[in-house]
Amino acid sequence: MDFELPEELRLLKDNLRKFVDKELIPRERETVNNVQLQKDLQKDLRPKVDELGLWHYDVPEEFGGLGLGMLAKVIVWSEISRTTALPARYLSIFGFPVSPILYTLEGRARDEYLMPVIRGEKTSCFAQTEADAGSDPAAMRTTAVRDGDHYVINGVKRFITNADEVDFAQVFAVTDPEKRARGGITGFLVDMNTPGLKVSASYDLMVDDRPCELVFDNVRVPVWKRIGNEGEGFKHAQSWINSGRIRHGARSLGVMERCFELGSSYAKQRKTFGAYLAERQSVQWPLTDIYMDMHKLKLMLYHAAWKYDRGDDCREDAFMVKIFGDERSFWAADRVMQIHGGMGLSKELPIERFFRDQRSMMITEGAVEVLRMALARMILNVR
Ligand SMILES: Cc1cc2nc3c(=O)[nH]c(=O)nc-3n(C[C@H](O)[C@H](O)[C@H](O)COP(=O)(O)OP(=O)(O)OC[C@H]3O[C@@H](n4cnc5c(N)ncnc54)[C@H](O)[C@@H]3O)c2cc1C
């Protein structure tokens, strides 16, 4: 057993740490709560990203990217998450965001959707959630009914991030109400300017995202814009869901590392009642707990990534890193906020933003209770 990172990954980690410290952390105060400025950073920093050699690090080699393995991606995700200068959910600084589902496209759909997204010419959103189908997407009501060489989509999706800005949506709809999750749900590529499709509302949240509601009123989509075969919607989602959960864990590690840095350095400078905060047991204990959590999460993450890269089943590991990471990183932000007193609430420091973002992570892409339910089914072998 070898607990050392390979030399090239140690180098990657060092270079990224310097990049984040030098280029991103100093811009946090100007970009906080300004999504446009956060997005503009990608353009501003492109020459520096090229110097790092990380452009399209997660695009597979066959599509012109670096195709980094999962362990390397965990390093990238965790290092870049030490800063609040970038949007919490879209780490697009090293390339244009490509939904992994798009890599399953073939023929015309690949040429007209995947490749333009990789080149930054088209953008997309992911439309699965509905008012009565969030944690349980199989309960969705949106339907797609075949009509000759088209499907006709009807229904309402909600909480769809960036739906008001993108060129097309990856929409999931019921094609067989009897089968539902077991082969009855299908994905489609729907251009946002298709007649009958309307962005009807957006939600003002405690995080920067403004997800929208989408109404489909007899929206006609040609058969070639179907994602894979009919009924394969959930199969495609499953193929990349482990990677998304590991990404959550990696983000949590970066957040915890920064919170620990901030908390420990403040506790060593700030004196109350004649002693440094770092000398008080009630301040030492949360800091030591964060330190232990960081170590646990790092071991869990590297193990999950190692299994992923070997092609082993890592579903259990992916559940664990998301649950543990989301919860403990939120707790770390909360405790470090407390250590900072009033300054912890200030937008001059990144802590309040970490606090808000990590709170939201416990709900999105699998609420922690739902993941525990799924983990319990696996480890207890129950329904
Ligand atoms: C910022 C943001 C961005 C989003 N972006 C997108 C997007 O781009 N595309 C998209 O399709 N969706 C998106 N969503 C939707 C997101 O995936 C859902 O909000 C999430 O799946 C939870 O669904 P829900 O809100 O309907 O909560 P519900 O499913 O109603 O659950 C509510 C709560 O009940 C509890 N719970 C639920 N089921 C169980 C259970 N079995 N056991 C125990 N407890 C349970 C959990 O605590 C959960 O938080 C986004 C949401 C947010 C907040």
Side-chain angles (χ1 to χ4, degrees):
M1 194 180 289
D2 184 356
F3 285 97
E4 289 292 336
L5 281 177
E7 177 62 23
E8 71 273 14
L9 294 192
R10 273 210 304 268
L11 208 67
L12 173 71
K13 194 167 168 17
D14 286 350
N15 287 341
L16 273 163
R17 185 145 295 218
K18 286 183 200 136
F19 174 76
V20 169
D21 285 343
K22 189 161 167 248
E23 307 295 343
L24 295 174
I25 286 180
R27 315 210 28 189
E28 282 175 347
R29 275 172 70 178
E30 104 199 50
T31 60
V32 73
N33 297 330
N34 189 328
V35 179
Q36 195 47 51
L37 275 184
Q38 289 166 19
K39 289 184 178 166
D40 289 348
L41 267 183
Q42 173 173 323
K43 270 183 250 141
D44 293 1
L45 292 177
R46 179 68 203 267
K48 305 243 158 85
V49 166
D50 285 340
E51 261 171 51
L52 267 178
L54 277 178
W55 187 250
H56 279 160
Y57 70 96
D58 58 349
V59 173
E61 279 175 297
E62 61 174 307
F63 300 113
L66 296 184
L68 291 189
M70 186 53 74
L71 188 54
K73 286 201 266 196
V74 162
I75 306 283
V76 176
W77 292 329
S78 56
E79 288 302 321
I80 207 83
S81 301
R82 282 179 56 249
T83 178
T84 54
L86 301 170
R89 286 189 166 73
Y90 298 94
L91 304 178
S92 53
I93 189 161
F94 299 129
F96 304 103
V98 186
S99 160
I101 291 179
L102 300 178
Y103 291 122
T104 65
L105 298 177
E106 287 173 354
R108 186 171 170 192
R110 175 180 286 191
D111 296 343
E112 293 190 23
Y113 289 93
L114 170 65
M115 298 316 290
V117 167
I118 294 176
R119 292 193 296 264
E121 295 159 7
K122 275 189 179 174
T123 50
S124 76
C125 64
F126 176 82
Q128 176 175 272
T129 302
E130 298 178 8
D132 294 322
S135 302
D136 181 12
M140 70 174 64
R141 292 187 191 171
T142 299
T143 53
V145 177
R146 183 86 184 241
D147 177 23
D149 54 3
H150 281 74
Y151 283 86
V152 182
I153 303 182
N154 280 291
V156 181
K157 296 284 175 188
R158 80 165 182 179
F159 275 131
I160 311 307
T161 302
N162 291 336
D164 52 346
E165 294 177 5
V166 298
D167 299 298
F168 69 97
Q170 302 149 67
V171 180
F172 290 81
V174 178
T175 38
D176 185 338
E178 298 294 313
K179 292 191 187 149
R180 294 199 158 264
R182 291 185 175 73
I185 290 175
T186 308
F188 299 91
L189 305 164
V190 185
D191 294 323
M192 295 306 289
N193 59 7
T194 311
L197 172 53
K198 199 170 78 188
V199 177
S200 57
S202 71
Y203 293 88
D204 201 6
L205 305 182
M206 66 185 265
V207 287
D208 286 344
D209 309 63
R210 295 282 167 273
C212 304
E213 191 170 88
L214 281 181
V215 177
F216 295 78
D217 181 11
N218 286 319
V219 173
R220 293 181 70 79
V221 182
V223 170
W224 69 267
K225 294 190 185 182
R226 191 181 61 205
I227 302 174
N229 295 320
E230 194 172 295
E232 283 185 348
F234 275 11
K235 191 180 112 188
H236 289 306
Q238 280 308 319
S239 63
W240 54 268
I241 218 156
N242 286 333
S243 155
R245 290 182 182 140
I246 296 174
R247 182 174 43 75
H248 264 257
R251 171 175 164 84
S252 299
L253 180 61
V255 169
M256 280 153 84
E257 288 186 342
R258 183 77 187 288
C259 285
F260 180 79
E261 289 160 29
L262 290 163
S264 52
S265 97
Y266 189 75
K268 286 194 271 185
Q269 290 163 30
R270 179 76 174 165
K271 268 187 173 173
T272 63
F273 302 94
Y276 289 108
L277 291 180
E279 291 164 357
R280 311 276 183 200
Q281 197 181 49
S282 63
V283 173
Q284 291 167 352
W285 284 19
L287 289 172
T288 49
D289 283 355
I290 296 170
Y291 190 80
M292 287 190 286
D293 284 343
M294 277 161 25
H295 186 60
K296 289 182 218 167
L297 183 57
K298 197 185 289 178
L299 292 177
M300 285 163 81
L301 267 172
Y302 288 0
H303 187 219
W306 175 78
K307 282 172 85 172
Y308 188 101
D309 284 337
R310 281 163 51 109
D312 293 349
D313 182 353
C314 64
R315 282 174 298 164
E316 195 180 301
D317 308 75
F319 286 134
M320 292 193 294
V321 292
K322 183 173 187 301
I323 299 167
F324 185 78
D326 285 351
E327 288 183 346
R328 299 313 292 170
S329 57
F330 173 67
W331 185 83
D334 177 71
R335 289 300 86 200
V336 167
M337 183 179 270
Q338 189 70 16
I339 290 171
H340 280 76
M343 278 311 291
L345 304 171
S346 159
K347 293 197 164 115
E348 284 183 32
L349 293 175
I351 304 167
E352 63 83 34
R353 165 95 191 273
F354 282 139
F355 179 90
R356 288 184 285 124
D357 285 333
Q358 295 316 105
R359 185 65 191 81
S360 76
M361 299 294 172
M362 290 195 272
I363 292 173
T364 57
E365 291 181 64
V368 287
E369 293 83 0
V370 176
L371 297 189
R372 276 194 174 84
M373 176 184 78
L375 181 60
R377 281 179 182 159
M378 287 185 80
I379 61 181
L380 303 178
N381 205 12
V382 289
R383 243 196 99 247

